[in-house]
Amino acid sequence: MKILALESSCDEMAAGVVQDGRKILSSVISSQVEEHKKYGGVVPEIASRRHCEDVLPVTEQALSEAGLTLSEIDAVAVTAGPGLIGALLVGVNFAKGLALAADKPLIPVHHIRGHIAANYLAHPELEPPFLCLVVSGGHSHIIDVEDYTRFRVIGRTRDDAAGEAYDKAARALGFPYPGGRYIDAAAAQGDPTAVRLPHPSVDGSRYDLSFSGLKTAVLNLCHQYRQKGEELPVNDISACFQQTVCEMLTDRLFAAAGELRRDTVVLAGGVAANSLLRRTTEALAAQKGLSCCLPPVPLCGDNAVMIGSQAYYEAKAGFFAKTDLNAVASLPVGEPFSGVFRR
Ligand code: KG4
Ligand code: ZN
């Protein structure tokens, strides 16, 4: 089954073709990062307008790189949420038009399910059940993937997402947006014990996360150095921040894996590109005798092939949408989109 997939939930317009959920036939990503950089974050209105310009050429390129015409595609898939509503609407409406015009089934895909599925493209042996840590600019979840289309949230952030915390700390340290990878690079040159940062936990919850206290601590630290007129130890603060975030994430992931008796842990989302998080997860998994899957770095950030992969499993489970499909800004990962029918 060859699925043409579209992703436009944030500042990337992407299209790709995936065969049987596991094989990438083409993957095209048009990123707007340079455009949003000057505002220090994504401007939703600009993202939607750029998606309108990009959606057709990006889709045409994805088909042409796969060596296929629209009539040779078996289904059209699209991220229908969660994300920026104006940005999502561009992909959703374009996908509905394509599906209708070409008389193809339409498969809506949840963005987080897509991030998890990025792993199926790189690890042919990976099958649910497994425990997945999804960490991106918009989400931080520990999810028990019971089956390809059955998900249970075990823990989540109560405030900022991990990527959001990275980006805000990076801004305070003087890095451009999105700052996660700059902190990652600076941390490699720093001493994680040179400064002290708090390890916030959430009262009454073993697996939930909170990053706002940590972010505020970094901001305060930066102010203190600047007020004293001292040079900011950017590398040391980066290293300490990164170490703290990794400890917070892996502590909860492995505690949950132990309690749920899952023998495989998986990372997903933009922050899964983080070098320390990858190293620590691999090392802890080996130490505890668990299998570990990491998405290849190019598949950690937003792309369309992860949507095409998950769409295959949604289709196998019989989940399709009609042209009344709407985009939604938020939706729990375990729930279906409104109007989805089973066939
Ligand atoms: O998954 P993604 O592309 O978009 C969302 O769905 O949110 O994730 C983007 C996030 C940004 O916050 C970015 O700073 C972060 O992933 N990120 C990183 C690294 N590379 C990207 N964070 C930490 N270390 C990295 N190497
Ligand atoms: Zn994402």
Side-chain angles (χ1 to χ4, degrees):
M1 185 179 196
K2 297 187 188 82
I3 297 180
L4 169 65
L6 301 174
E7 153 65 42
S8 70
S9 67
C10 193
D11 57 344
E12 265 99 22
M13 178 72 239
V17 182
V18 177
Q19 187 167 356
D20 298 335
R22 298 277 177 167
K23 188 170 175 212
I24 300 172
L25 300 186
S26 68
S27 178
V28 180
I29 303 174
S30 167
S31 172
Q32 306 169 7
V33 160
E34 287 309 315
E35 203 157 336
H36 296 283
K37 219 175 215 169
K38 51 182 177 273
Y39 304 102
V42 177
V43 182
E45 176 75 17
I46 294 177
S48 317
R49 286 167 188 253
R50 273 290 304 278
H51 289 338
C52 286
E53 292 165 13
D54 289 348
V55 64
L56 179 60
V58 165
T59 306
E60 282 177 337
Q61 193 182 337
L63 282 171
S64 120
E65 285 183 13
L68 297 166
T69 61
L70 190 54
S71 61
E72 290 168 311
I73 292 291
D74 299 300
V76 177
V78 65
T79 307
L84 301 173
I85 193 68
L88 286 163
L89 279 167
V90 177
V92 166
N93 282 298
F94 188 83
K96 290 202 289 191
L98 268 188
L100 187 66
D103 195 22
K104 305 290 177 187
L106 178 65
I107 310 163
V109 175
H110 192 288
H111 185 75
I112 297 182
R113 294 189 187 195
H115 271 302
I116 297 169
N119 286 283
Y120 300 140
L121 295 163
H123 305 288
E125 73 292 350
L126 178 65
E127 285 182 359
F130 55 81
L131 196 66
C132 187
L133 172 67
V134 185
V135 270
S136 71
H139 312 278
S140 296
H141 285 92
I142 293 171
I143 298 174
D144 191 29
V145 183
E146 297 172 333
D147 202 346
Y148 286 104
T149 54
R150 234 180 34 243
F151 302 82
R152 196 156 62 91
V153 175
I154 305 300
R156 59 158 64 85
T157 179
R158 296 286 183 93
D159 40 56
D160 291 347
E164 206 178 342
Y166 258 100
D167 294 342
K168 288 175 179 169
R171 192 178 185 160
L173 291 167
F175 292 123
Y177 174 86
R181 64 192 171 93
Y182 297 98
I183 292 196
D184 197 355
Q189 316 295 321
D191 171 5
T193 62
V195 291
R196 281 178 63 81
L197 289 172
H199 272 63
S201 60
V202 175
D203 276 351
S205 168
R206 174 70 183 92
Y207 303 121
D208 280 358
L209 294 145
S210 165
F211 291 105
S212 69
L214 177 62
K215 172 197 70 187
T216 308
V218 171
L219 298 186
N220 288 342
L221 203 56
C222 292
H223 283 147
Q224 282 163 18
Y225 276 99
R226 287 190 177 117
Q227 265 175 352
K228 287 190 228 158
E230 290 175 14
E231 196 187 329
L232 207 57
V234 171
N235 294 346
D236 290 345
I237 298 177
S238 295
C240 184
F241 173 82
Q242 174 141 302
Q243 174 96 16
T244 308
V245 172
C246 279
E247 279 171 11
M248 286 167 65
L249 294 173
T250 52
D251 162 70
R252 285 158 181 79
L253 175 66
F254 284 95
E259 189 180 317
L260 298 174
R261 297 179 188 279
R262 290 294 184 221
D263 58 11
T264 304
V265 292
V266 173
L267 297 185
V271 182
N274 185 263
S275 62
L276 183 65
L277 182 60
R278 296 173 79 87
R279 273 201 314 276
T280 312
T281 306
E282 272 180 333
L284 287 172
Q287 195 183 314
K288 292 171 192 298
L290 305 180
S291 304
C292 166
C293 282
L294 310 179
V297 171
L299 292 181
C300 288
D302 289 347
N303 63 78
V305 286
M306 67 186 198
I307 303 302
S309 171
Q310 179 61 25
Y312 172 73
Y313 296 102
E314 300 286 336
K316 266 182 82 171
F319 296 117
F320 292 93
K322 298 198 180 108
T323 42
D324 61 355
L325 175 69
N326 204 352
V328 287
S330 63
L331 180 75
V333 66
E335 285 182 22
F337 292 100
S338 156
V340 162
F341 66 94
R342 237 177 153 151
R343 69 172 204 191

